[in-house]
């Protein structure tokens, strides 16, 4: 009975063109890409064509793309590769990273004695690059900087070119979790000097369980999952052929129509911002997520104190609105958001709700959500 799906930062609906491309694979290609016979070669060709098409759109050599099961695996792989293959002994990161990075860096700290340092954020939630520079200039320990391109909860964006300049000046390796921006922002890896980037197909209308890790071609790193030597030994395991084809198709569609999709999504977000301001006086936006220079798919609203505040996401769900109170990656558990806490936006008296949009979001979706928000956050005299 969902009337409006506004949780696209958690995952997006699969594009019909992607479903069709994947169905064709499931129905016509059954070979194992590692088999040398005809059906195997056919599957292998699909994997390699997909790799080439993604690499072309990113301006990088195809061998730099290692297919994975998605963003979490790619983030883990980048961090483990930096420690195990590059000899990194210090990781500079942020407490507002996705749990995949927070937990992988903590594991490197606890299990392998790597020093983990957290960079400061400005009051508006953005990363304090001057603090990063201070940290990097203070030590010559081999260092990986792991900072996400755009935050999945509040939408603050790091300028990757500036990040790269700061890190390279101080000889640090760079990993950026680009899970929320791949397929939504142009990226030219012929010009951008970074070591590891990560991608997840289901954030731009591709299938769940497919993604990739980009590894700078100058690096020699080992695999995280060992096995049959697939992905040039970077990732053992029979390839998810249909998933990879779906990922490449979704990537293709995202890049081909990026400008028009962005314009549409921005218009939806602006309608939501204006409507929320009208419906709930006193609403504010965590991370200044209403700003044009924030991730354009995400809006994080903080509502004034209200008896329904603690149940806001639940009550909106009852009204048929799918949105979220934080990252969706903890099996729907409402533990509160580590990101809002880390950035100083958490307020126990005020509900924060993330609305996130896609190219399929309509004006009717926004209006329906605004009606539901007005109902949930109705004037207190009516609510009690
Ligand atoms: N990184 C960020 C910023 C994300 O938003 C997500 C998904 O929510 C992930 C990593 C994990 O990606 P996946 O769901 O493909 O494992």
């Amino acid at each position: 009975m969902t009337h409006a799906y506004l949780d696209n930062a958690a995952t997006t609906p699969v594009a019909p063109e992607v479903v069709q491309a994947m169905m064709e694979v499931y129905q016509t290609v059954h070979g194992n890409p590692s088999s040398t016979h005809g059906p195997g070669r056919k599957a292998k060709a699909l994997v390699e064509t997909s790799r080439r098409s993604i690499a072309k759109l990113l301006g990088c050599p195809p061998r730099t793309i290692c297919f994975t099961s998605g963003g979490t695996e790619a983030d883990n792989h980048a961090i483990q590769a930096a420690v195990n293959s590059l000899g990194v002994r210090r990781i500079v990161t942020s407490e507002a990273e996705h749990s995949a990075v927070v937990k992988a860096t903590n594991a490197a700290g606890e299990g392998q004695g790597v020093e983990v340092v957290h960079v400061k954020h400005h009051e508006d939630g953005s990363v304090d690059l001057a603090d990063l520079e201070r940290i990097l200039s203070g030590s010559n320990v081999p260092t990986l900087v792991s900072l996400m391109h755009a935050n999945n909860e509040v939408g603050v964006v790091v300028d990757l070119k500036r990040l790269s300049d700061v890190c390279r000046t101080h000889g640090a390796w760079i990993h950026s979790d680009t899970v929320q921006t791949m397929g939504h922002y142009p990226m030219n890896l012929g010009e951008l000097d970074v070591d590891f980037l990560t991608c997840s197909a289901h954030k731009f209308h591709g299938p769940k369980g497919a993604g990739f890790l980009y590894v700078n071609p100058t690096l020699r790193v080992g695999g995280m999952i060992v096995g049959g030597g697939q992905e040039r030994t970077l990732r053992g395991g029979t390839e998810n052929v249909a998933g990879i084809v779906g990922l490449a198709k979704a990537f293709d569609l995202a890049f081909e129509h990026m400008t028009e999709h962005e314009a549409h999504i921005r218009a939806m977000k602006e309608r939501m911002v204006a409507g929320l301001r009208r419906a709930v006086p006193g609403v504010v936006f965590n991370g200044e997520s209403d700003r044009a220079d924030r991730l354009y798919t995400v809006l994080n609203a903080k509502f004034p104190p209200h008896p329904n505040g603690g149940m806001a996401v639940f009550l909106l769900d009852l009204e048929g609105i799918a949105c979220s109170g934080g990252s969706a990656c903890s099996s729907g558990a409402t533990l509160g958001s580590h990101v809002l806490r880390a950035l100083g936006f958490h307020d126990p008296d005020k509900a924060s709700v993330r609305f996130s949009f896609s190219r399929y979001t309509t004006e009717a979706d926004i209006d329906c959500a605004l009606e539901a928000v007005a109902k949930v956050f109705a004037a207190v005299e009516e609510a009690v």
Side-chain angles (χ1 to χ4, degrees), residues 37-266:
H37 48 56
R41 289 199 306 275
K42 200 168 164 189
K44 178 86 175 164
L46 286 179
V47 171
E48 294 314 320
T49 307
S50 301
R51 195 189 316 277
R52 277 196 299 277
S53 114
I54 291 168
K56 192 165 174 216
L57 292 167
L58 291 176
C60 60
R63 70 192 150 88
T64 60
I65 302 297
C66 167
F67 291 120
T68 66
S69 67
T72 300
E73 182 188 320
D75 282 335
N76 274 267
H77 193 167
I79 288 157
Q80 288 196 18
V83 175
N84 297 332
S85 303
L86 305 178
V88 157
R89 302 303 302 151
R90 181 174 71 150
I91 300 175
V92 184
T93 183
S94 154
E95 286 171 309
E97 290 289 310
H98 187 271
S99 307
V101 169
V102 171
K103 291 186 183 169
T105 50
N106 286 347
E110 287 154 21
Q112 294 170 282
V114 173
E115 184 190 359
V116 178
V117 182
H118 292 125
V119 75
K120 287 186 191 145
H121 287 258
H122 295 293
E123 245 175 54
D124 67 0
S126 58
V127 169
D128 183 344
L129 287 176
D131 187 48
L132 175 66
E133 194 139 27
R134 265 192 304 276
I135 295 168
L136 292 179
S137 56
S139 156
N140 290 328
V141 174
T143 297
L144 173 75
V145 172
S146 178
L147 290 169
M148 68 206 312
H149 187 195
N151 185 277
N152 51 307
E153 292 194 33
V154 297
V156 285
V157 176
V158 166
D159 179 341
L160 285 182
K161 168 78 176 76
R162 277 190 65 202
L163 179 69
S164 166
D165 288 346
V166 171
C167 293
R168 293 311 193 212
T169 302
H170 297 282
W173 284 286
I174 308 158
H175 160 235
S176 185
D177 175 335
T178 42
V179 165
Q180 290 290 341
T181 51
M182 278 278 184
H184 295 285
Y185 288 76
M187 229 168 263
N188 182 350
L189 300 182
E191 287 174 5
L192 184 66
D193 183 18
V194 290
D195 296 303
F196 303 102
L197 298 179
T198 54
C199 171
S200 177
H202 72 97
K203 306 295 185 182
F204 49 91
H205 309 285
K208 294 165 185 61
F212 65 80
L213 170 68
Y214 160 82
V215 183
N216 188 301
T218 61
L219 301 181
R220 291 286 156 268
V221 299
M224 182 175 75
I225 299 172
V226 291
Q230 290 90 346
E231 296 297 284
R232 299 170 55 253
T233 71
L234 272 181
R235 200 239 186 206
T238 301
E239 297 87 338
N240 173 6
V241 182
I244 288 169
V245 167
L247 158 66
K249 182 71 188 176
F251 212 65
D252 219 29
L253 291 169
F255 274 72
E256 191 182 341
H257 304 288
M258 196 175 280
T259 313
E260 68 204 68
H261 291 161
E262 177 177 344
H264 173 77
I265 296 167
R266 283 188 185 277

Side-chain angles (χ1 to χ4, degrees), residues 279-303:
V280 190
V283 69
V284 296
F285 299 103
N286 291 316
E288 302 183 7
S289 50
D290 54 325
R291 272 170 50 174
D293 63 352
R294 298 316 202 226
L295 180 61
Y296 61 83
T297 50
V298 163
L299 182 67
N300 196 308
K302 186 190 277 171
F303 294 98

